[in-house]
Amino acid sequence: VPKTETIATKDDKKHTEGDGDDHSSKDKKDGHDGQVVQSGKYHIEFKSHLEKDSTHLDIKLHGEKDKEITDAKLTAQVQVPGGSSQTLAVPYSAEEKQYVAKLLTTAKGDYQVVLQADVNGEKFNSRFSFKR
């Protein structure tokens, strides 16, 4: 993480601006990019954190009545700048209280992510993007 960049972790949240926790426009300039997609009754939140040798992907999945879902099967298909793609399993981390994966590439440019979710046999896809 560059020394000039400050990252608020889940333990020391430093949020402002009416705090609905969506800081996408403010966060994009420092490499953080929170995006939310509604897919039927599901609410998916995607964040990417740029690291020196990789990109950390954080995903939260909620169902009806904003109930957190921790037992879904998630797979991220990532289109990397230059045209190649990588498929990542995105397991749930009880420690981080979210689904996490590490994308081991540092190519500069636009990344396209198709997140495939399977919640008890109910399957759906969501699309996200981020820039490195």
Short mmCIF file of all heavy atoms in Angstrom, two decimals, residues 88-132:
data_model
loop_
_atom_site.label_atom_id
_atom_site.label_comp_id
_atom_site.label_asym_id
_atom_site.label_seq_id
_atom_site.Cartn_x
_atom_site.Cartn_y
_atom_site.Cartn_z
N LEU A 88 -11.63 -17.15 -10.23
CA LEU A 88 -11.26 -17.27 -8.82
C LEU A 88 -12.44 -17.77 -8.00
O LEU A 88 -13.55 -17.26 -8.13
CB LEU A 88 -10.88 -15.90 -8.25
CG LEU A 88 -9.75 -15.11 -8.91
CD1 LEU A 88 -9.71 -13.71 -8.34
CD2 LEU A 88 -8.44 -15.81 -8.69
N ALA A 89 -12.18 -18.73 -7.13
CA ALA A 89 -13.17 -19.09 -6.11
C ALA A 89 -13.13 -17.96 -5.09
O ALA A 89 -12.07 -17.41 -4.79
CB ALA A 89 -12.81 -20.41 -5.47
N VAL A 90 -14.30 -17.59 -4.56
CA VAL A 90 -14.36 -16.51 -3.59
C VAL A 90 -15.03 -17.06 -2.32
O VAL A 90 -16.24 -16.96 -2.16
CB VAL A 90 -15.15 -15.29 -4.14
CG1 VAL A 90 -15.03 -14.11 -3.19
CG2 VAL A 90 -14.66 -14.91 -5.53
N PRO A 91 -14.23 -17.66 -1.43
CA PRO A 91 -14.81 -18.26 -0.22
C PRO A 91 -15.17 -17.21 0.82
O PRO A 91 -14.65 -16.09 0.81
CB PRO A 91 -13.67 -19.15 0.28
CG PRO A 91 -12.43 -18.48 -0.21
CD PRO A 91 -12.79 -17.85 -1.53
N TYR A 92 -16.05 -17.61 1.73
CA TYR A 92 -16.44 -16.74 2.83
C TYR A 92 -15.37 -16.81 3.92
O TYR A 92 -14.91 -17.88 4.29
CB TYR A 92 -17.79 -17.14 3.42
CG TYR A 92 -18.27 -16.19 4.49
CD1 TYR A 92 -18.84 -14.98 4.14
CD2 TYR A 92 -18.11 -16.48 5.83
CE1 TYR A 92 -19.26 -14.07 5.11
CE2 TYR A 92 -18.53 -15.58 6.82
CZ TYR A 92 -19.09 -14.38 6.44
OH TYR A 92 -19.50 -13.48 7.40
N SER A 93 -14.96 -15.65 4.41
CA SER A 93 -13.98 -15.57 5.50
C SER A 93 -14.72 -15.16 6.77
O SER A 93 -15.18 -14.02 6.88
CB SER A 93 -12.90 -14.55 5.18
OG SER A 93 -12.14 -14.26 6.34
N ALA A 94 -14.84 -16.08 7.72
CA ALA A 94 -15.52 -15.76 8.99
C ALA A 94 -14.74 -14.67 9.73
O ALA A 94 -15.33 -13.82 10.39
CB ALA A 94 -15.63 -17.00 9.85
N GLU A 95 -13.43 -14.68 9.58
CA GLU A 95 -12.59 -13.68 10.24
C GLU A 95 -12.88 -12.27 9.71
O GLU A 95 -13.02 -11.33 10.47
CB GLU A 95 -11.12 -14.03 10.00
CG GLU A 95 -10.15 -13.11 10.69
CD GLU A 95 -8.70 -13.47 10.37
OE1 GLU A 95 -8.42 -14.67 10.16
OE2 GLU A 95 -7.87 -12.56 10.32
N GLU A 96 -13.01 -12.13 8.38
CA GLU A 96 -13.27 -10.82 7.77
C GLU A 96 -14.76 -10.52 7.63
O GLU A 96 -15.14 -9.42 7.25
CB GLU A 96 -12.58 -10.73 6.40
CG GLU A 96 -11.08 -10.76 6.50
CD GLU A 96 -10.41 -10.45 5.16
OE1 GLU A 96 -10.85 -9.49 4.49
OE2 GLU A 96 -9.46 -11.15 4.80
N LYS A 97 -15.62 -11.51 7.89
CA LYS A 97 -17.07 -11.37 7.76
C LYS A 97 -17.51 -10.93 6.36
O LYS A 97 -18.40 -10.12 6.19
CB LYS A 97 -17.62 -10.40 8.82
CG LYS A 97 -17.46 -10.93 10.24
CD LYS A 97 -18.16 -10.01 11.22
CE LYS A 97 -18.31 -10.50 12.61
NZ LYS A 97 -17.33 -11.26 13.26
N GLN A 98 -16.85 -11.53 5.36
CA GLN A 98 -17.19 -11.28 3.97
C GLN A 98 -16.50 -12.32 3.10
O GLN A 98 -15.67 -13.08 3.57
CB GLN A 98 -16.77 -9.87 3.54
CG GLN A 98 -15.28 -9.62 3.65
CD GLN A 98 -14.92 -8.16 3.50
OE1 GLN A 98 -15.77 -7.34 3.20
NE2 GLN A 98 -13.68 -7.82 3.73
N TYR A 99 -16.89 -12.36 1.83
CA TYR A 99 -16.24 -13.24 0.87
C TYR A 99 -14.99 -12.52 0.38
O TYR A 99 -15.03 -11.32 0.11
CB TYR A 99 -17.18 -13.53 -0.30
CG TYR A 99 -18.41 -14.30 0.10
CD1 TYR A 99 -19.55 -13.65 0.56
CD2 TYR A 99 -18.43 -15.70 0.04
CE1 TYR A 99 -20.68 -14.37 0.94
CE2 TYR A 99 -19.55 -16.42 0.42
CZ TYR A 99 -20.67 -15.74 0.87
OH TYR A 99 -21.78 -16.45 1.25
N VAL A 100 -13.89 -13.26 0.27
CA VAL A 100 -12.63 -12.62 -0.13
C VAL A 100 -11.87 -13.47 -1.15
O VAL A 100 -11.96 -14.70 -1.16
CB VAL A 100 -11.70 -12.35 1.08
CG1 VAL A 100 -12.33 -11.37 2.04
CG2 VAL A 100 -11.35 -13.63 1.81
N ALA A 101 -11.14 -12.79 -2.01
CA ALA A 101 -10.26 -13.45 -2.97
C ALA A 101 -9.11 -12.50 -3.28
O ALA A 101 -9.23 -11.28 -3.11
CB ALA A 101 -11.01 -13.80 -4.25
N LYS A 102 -8.02 -13.07 -3.75
CA LYS A 102 -6.86 -12.26 -4.12
C LYS A 102 -6.57 -12.52 -5.59
O LYS A 102 -6.38 -13.65 -6.01
CB LYS A 102 -5.67 -12.63 -3.25
CG LYS A 102 -4.47 -11.72 -3.47
CD LYS A 102 -3.37 -12.02 -2.50
CE LYS A 102 -3.61 -11.22 -1.24
NZ LYS A 102 -2.41 -10.99 -0.45
N LEU A 103 -6.56 -11.44 -6.37
CA LEU A 103 -6.24 -11.50 -7.79
C LEU A 103 -4.76 -11.17 -7.94
O LEU A 103 -4.34 -10.05 -7.64
CB LEU A 103 -7.11 -10.48 -8.55
CG LEU A 103 -6.91 -10.38 -10.04
CD1 LEU A 103 -7.25 -11.69 -10.73
CD2 LEU A 103 -7.75 -9.25 -10.61
N LEU A 104 -3.98 -12.16 -8.36
CA LEU A 104 -2.53 -12.00 -8.42
C LEU A 104 -2.08 -11.47 -9.78
O LEU A 104 -1.46 -12.18 -10.57
CB LEU A 104 -1.84 -13.35 -8.13
CG LEU A 104 -2.11 -13.90 -6.73
CD1 LEU A 104 -1.54 -15.30 -6.59
CD2 LEU A 104 -1.53 -12.97 -5.67
N THR A 105 -2.38 -10.23 -10.04
CA THR A 105 -1.89 -9.55 -11.23
C THR A 105 -1.81 -8.06 -10.92
O THR A 105 -2.56 -7.56 -10.09
CB THR A 105 -2.77 -9.82 -12.47
OG1 THR A 105 -2.18 -9.18 -13.60
CG2 THR A 105 -4.17 -9.31 -12.29
N THR A 106 -0.89 -7.39 -11.60
CA THR A 106 -0.73 -5.95 -11.36
C THR A 106 -0.84 -5.16 -12.66
O THR A 106 -0.41 -4.02 -12.71
CB THR A 106 0.64 -5.67 -10.70
OG1 THR A 106 1.66 -6.19 -11.55
CG2 THR A 106 0.74 -6.29 -9.33
N ALA A 107 -1.41 -5.76 -13.70
CA ALA A 107 -1.54 -5.07 -14.98
C ALA A 107 -2.36 -3.79 -14.80
O ALA A 107 -3.37 -3.78 -14.09
CB ALA A 107 -2.22 -5.99 -15.99
N LYS A 108 -1.91 -2.72 -15.43
CA LYS A 108 -2.63 -1.45 -15.36
C LYS A 108 -3.77 -1.45 -16.37
O LYS A 108 -3.63 -1.96 -17.47
CB LYS A 108 -1.68 -0.29 -15.68
CG LYS A 108 -0.52 -0.19 -14.73
CD LYS A 108 -0.71 0.95 -13.78
CE LYS A 108 0.48 1.14 -12.88
NZ LYS A 108 0.27 0.68 -11.54
N GLY A 109 -4.91 -0.87 -15.96
CA GLY A 109 -6.03 -0.76 -16.87
C GLY A 109 -7.35 -1.12 -16.21
O GLY A 109 -7.47 -1.13 -14.99
N ASP A 110 -8.35 -1.39 -17.06
CA ASP A 110 -9.70 -1.69 -16.60
C ASP A 110 -9.90 -3.20 -16.44
O ASP A 110 -9.54 -3.97 -17.33
CB ASP A 110 -10.74 -1.16 -17.59
CG ASP A 110 -10.73 0.36 -17.66
OD1 ASP A 110 -10.55 0.99 -16.61
OD2 ASP A 110 -10.89 0.89 -18.77
N TYR A 111 -10.50 -3.59 -15.33
CA TYR A 111 -10.81 -4.99 -15.04
C TYR A 111 -12.33 -5.14 -15.05
O TYR A 111 -13.04 -4.31 -14.47
CB TYR A 111 -10.29 -5.39 -13.66
CG TYR A 111 -8.79 -5.52 -13.58
CD1 TYR A 111 -7.97 -4.40 -13.57
CD2 TYR A 111 -8.20 -6.77 -13.50
CE1 TYR A 111 -6.60 -4.52 -13.48
CE2 TYR A 111 -6.82 -6.91 -13.42
CZ TYR A 111 -6.02 -5.77 -13.41
OH TYR A 111 -4.66 -5.91 -13.33
N GLN A 112 -12.82 -6.18 -15.68
CA GLN A 112 -14.25 -6.50 -15.69
C GLN A 112 -14.44 -7.78 -14.89
O GLN A 112 -13.72 -8.75 -15.11
CB GLN A 112 -14.75 -6.70 -17.13
CG GLN A 112 -14.53 -5.51 -18.05
CD GLN A 112 -15.28 -4.27 -17.60
OE1 GLN A 112 -16.42 -4.35 -17.15
NE2 GLN A 112 -14.65 -3.12 -17.71
N VAL A 113 -15.41 -7.77 -13.98
CA VAL A 113 -15.65 -8.93 -13.12
C VAL A 113 -17.09 -9.40 -13.29
O VAL A 113 -18.02 -8.61 -13.19
CB VAL A 113 -15.41 -8.57 -11.63
CG1 VAL A 113 -15.66 -9.77 -10.73
CG2 VAL A 113 -14.01 -8.01 -11.42
N VAL A 114 -17.25 -10.70 -13.56
CA VAL A 114 -18.57 -11.32 -13.53
C VAL A 114 -18.57 -12.22 -12.30
O VAL A 114 -17.79 -13.16 -12.21
CB VAL A 114 -18.88 -12.14 -14.81
CG1 VAL A 114 -20.23 -12.86 -14.65
CG2 VAL A 114 -18.88 -11.24 -16.03
N LEU A 115 -19.41 -11.89 -11.35
CA LEU A 115 -19.51 -12.67 -10.12
C LEU A 115 -20.67 -13.64 -10.28
O LEU A 115 -21.81 -13.23 -10.49
CB LEU A 115 -19.75 -11.74 -8.93
CG LEU A 115 -19.80 -12.44 -7.58
CD1 LEU A 115 -18.41 -12.98 -7.22
CD2 LEU A 115 -20.28 -11.50 -6.51
N GLN A 116 -20.35 -14.93 -10.19
CA GLN A 116 -21.38 -15.97 -10.29
C GLN A 116 -21.67 -16.44 -8.87
O GLN A 116 -20.76 -16.83 -8.14
CB GLN A 116 -20.89 -17.13 -11.14
CG GLN A 116 -20.58 -16.70 -12.57
CD GLN A 116 -19.89 -17.79 -13.36
OE1 GLN A 116 -19.07 -18.52 -12.84
NE2 GLN A 116 -20.23 -17.87 -14.64
N ALA A 117 -22.93 -16.39 -8.49
CA ALA A 117 -23.33 -16.79 -7.14
C ALA A 117 -24.32 -17.94 -7.21
O ALA A 117 -25.17 -18.00 -8.10
CB ALA A 117 -23.97 -15.60 -6.42
N ASP A 118 -24.18 -18.85 -6.25
CA ASP A 118 -25.11 -19.96 -6.09
C ASP A 118 -25.52 -19.96 -4.62
O ASP A 118 -24.73 -20.26 -3.74
CB ASP A 118 -24.42 -21.27 -6.47
CG ASP A 118 -25.35 -22.49 -6.34
OD1 ASP A 118 -26.36 -22.41 -5.60
OD2 ASP A 118 -25.05 -23.51 -6.97
N VAL A 119 -26.78 -19.57 -4.38
CA VAL A 119 -27.32 -19.54 -3.02
C VAL A 119 -28.35 -20.65 -2.92
O VAL A 119 -29.46 -20.52 -3.43
CB VAL A 119 -27.95 -18.17 -2.69
CG1 VAL A 119 -28.47 -18.15 -1.26
CG2 VAL A 119 -26.96 -17.03 -2.91
N ASN A 120 -27.96 -21.75 -2.29
CA ASN A 120 -28.85 -22.91 -2.13
C ASN A 120 -29.50 -23.32 -3.45
O ASN A 120 -30.71 -23.56 -3.51
CB ASN A 120 -29.92 -22.63 -1.07
CG ASN A 120 -29.31 -22.36 0.28
OD1 ASN A 120 -28.33 -23.00 0.66
ND2 ASN A 120 -29.87 -21.42 1.00
N GLY A 121 -28.71 -23.37 -4.53
CA GLY A 121 -29.23 -23.79 -5.83
C GLY A 121 -29.79 -22.67 -6.67
O GLY A 121 -30.06 -22.86 -7.86
N GLU A 122 -30.00 -21.51 -6.11
CA GLU A 122 -30.49 -20.35 -6.87
C GLU A 122 -29.27 -19.60 -7.40
O GLU A 122 -28.46 -19.10 -6.64
CB GLU A 122 -31.32 -19.45 -5.95
CG GLU A 122 -32.08 -18.39 -6.68
CD GLU A 122 -33.00 -17.60 -5.76
OE1 GLU A 122 -33.29 -18.06 -4.64
OE2 GLU A 122 -33.40 -16.50 -6.18
N LYS A 123 -29.15 -19.57 -8.74
CA LYS A 123 -27.95 -18.99 -9.36
C LYS A 123 -28.25 -17.66 -10.01
O LYS A 123 -29.30 -17.47 -10.60
CB LYS A 123 -27.39 -19.97 -10.39
CG LYS A 123 -26.95 -21.27 -9.77
CD LYS A 123 -26.45 -22.25 -10.79
CE LYS A 123 -26.07 -23.53 -10.06
NZ LYS A 123 -25.52 -24.54 -10.92
N PHE A 124 -27.27 -16.74 -9.90
CA PHE A 124 -27.38 -15.45 -10.56
C PHE A 124 -25.99 -14.87 -10.74
O PHE A 124 -25.03 -15.28 -10.10
CB PHE A 124 -28.28 -14.48 -9.76
CG PHE A 124 -27.83 -14.25 -8.35
CD1 PHE A 124 -27.00 -13.17 -8.04
CD2 PHE A 124 -28.22 -15.09 -7.32
CE1 PHE A 124 -26.57 -12.97 -6.74
CE2 PHE A 124 -27.81 -14.88 -6.02
CZ PHE A 124 -26.98 -13.81 -5.73
N ASN A 125 -25.88 -13.93 -11.68
CA ASN A 125 -24.61 -13.26 -11.97
C ASN A 125 -24.74 -11.76 -11.70
O ASN A 125 -25.82 -11.19 -11.87
CB ASN A 125 -24.23 -13.43 -13.44
CG ASN A 125 -23.90 -14.87 -13.79
OD1 ASN A 125 -23.65 -15.69 -12.91
ND2 ASN A 125 -23.88 -15.17 -15.08
N SER A 126 -23.64 -11.16 -11.34
CA SER A 126 -23.56 -9.71 -11.17
C SER A 126 -22.28 -9.24 -11.84
O SER A 126 -21.30 -9.97 -11.87
CB SER A 126 -23.52 -9.34 -9.68
OG SER A 126 -24.62 -9.86 -9.02
N ARG A 127 -22.30 -8.02 -12.35
CA ARG A 127 -21.13 -7.48 -13.04
C ARG A 127 -20.59 -6.28 -12.29
O ARG A 127 -21.35 -5.42 -11.85
CB ARG A 127 -21.51 -7.07 -14.47
CG ARG A 127 -21.92 -8.24 -15.31
CD ARG A 127 -22.22 -7.83 -16.74
NE ARG A 127 -22.66 -8.98 -17.51
CZ ARG A 127 -21.86 -9.87 -18.08
NH1 ARG A 127 -20.56 -9.73 -17.96
NH2 ARG A 127 -22.33 -10.88 -18.74
N PHE A 128 -19.25 -6.25 -12.22
CA PHE A 128 -18.55 -5.15 -11.55
C PHE A 128 -17.32 -4.81 -12.38
O PHE A 128 -16.92 -5.57 -13.26
CB PHE A 128 -18.10 -5.57 -10.15
CG PHE A 128 -19.23 -6.01 -9.27
CD1 PHE A 128 -19.56 -7.35 -9.14
CD2 PHE A 128 -19.99 -5.08 -8.56
CE1 PHE A 128 -20.61 -7.77 -8.34
CE2 PHE A 128 -21.04 -5.49 -7.76
CZ PHE A 128 -21.35 -6.83 -7.65
N SER A 129 -16.72 -3.68 -12.08
CA SER A 129 -15.48 -3.32 -12.74
C SER A 129 -14.63 -2.50 -11.78
O SER A 129 -15.14 -1.93 -10.82
CB SER A 129 -15.76 -2.53 -14.02
OG SER A 129 -16.40 -1.32 -13.70
N PHE A 130 -13.33 -2.48 -12.05
CA PHE A 130 -12.44 -1.62 -11.29
C PHE A 130 -11.23 -1.31 -12.16
O PHE A 130 -11.00 -1.94 -13.18
CB PHE A 130 -12.03 -2.24 -9.95
CG PHE A 130 -11.21 -3.50 -10.03
CD1 PHE A 130 -9.83 -3.45 -10.00
CD2 PHE A 130 -11.83 -4.73 -10.12
CE1 PHE A 130 -9.08 -4.62 -10.06
CE2 PHE A 130 -11.09 -5.90 -10.18
CZ PHE A 130 -9.70 -5.84 -10.16
N LYS A 131 -10.48 -0.30 -11.75
CA LYS A 131 -9.33 0.18 -12.50
C LYS A 131 -8.09 0.04 -11.63
O LYS A 131 -8.14 0.26 -10.44
CB LYS A 131 -9.57 1.64 -12.86
CG LYS A 131 -8.68 2.20 -13.96
CD LYS A 131 -8.95 3.66 -14.17
CE LYS A 131 -9.79 4.09 -15.29
NZ LYS A 131 -9.78 3.79 -16.58
N ARG A 132 -7.00 -0.34 -12.27
CA ARG A 132 -5.72 -0.43 -11.53
C ARG A 132 -4.72 0.50 -12.17
O ARG A 132 -4.62 0.58 -13.34
CB ARG A 132 -5.21 -1.87 -11.55
CG ARG A 132 -3.95 -2.01 -10.76
CD ARG A 132 -3.55 -3.45 -10.55
NE ARG A 132 -2.35 -3.43 -9.78
CZ ARG A 132 -2.30 -3.62 -8.45
NH1 ARG A 132 -3.39 -3.90 -7.80
NH2 ARG A 132 -1.18 -3.54 -7.81
#
